[in-house]
Amino acid sequence: MIFSYKKLWKLLIDKKMLKKDLIKQAKISPTTIASMSKGKSVSLETLAKICTVLNCEIGDIVELENI
């Protein structure tokens, strides 16, 4: 299985936010965003920070995909 953050990228577009805005507001590193762009897993703490900034649930930003 692979982690898909397609929902997150769409949510950023809908909220007219850039990845760099998310990095700053959620206080996460650019390396974390790069990992997410490659479908790698990140900590629940990171997902919680993103959800707090975007006012959403974890399921709104990440899902598991079968390969």
Side-chain angles (χ1 to χ4, degrees):
M1 293 215 194
I2 188 171
F3 291 92
S4 171
Y5 300 97
K6 291 176 190 171
K7 289 180 170 184
L8 171 60
W9 311 138
K10 183 180 181 324
L11 191 56
L12 288 178
I13 291 167
D14 292 346
K15 292 185 177 270
K16 296 182 169 85
M17 283 182 72
L18 299 174
K19 289 179 183 178
K20 66 179 182 179
D21 299 327
L22 182 62
I23 289 167
K24 186 176 180 180
Q25 291 180 32
K27 295 180 176 71
I28 56 177
S29 74
T31 306
T32 299
I33 291 292
S35 293
M36 293 172 79
S37 295
K38 295 175 185 171
K40 295 184 179 177
S41 64
V42 296
S43 72
L44 285 174
E45 181 180 348
T46 297
L47 295 177
K49 288 179 182 180
I50 292 170
C51 288
T52 299
V53 168
L54 298 176
N55 192 28
C56 66
E57 298 292 326
I58 289 177
D60 296 332
I61 61 172
V62 65
E63 60 188 355
L64 289 175
E65 290 184 351
N66 291 320
I67 352 182

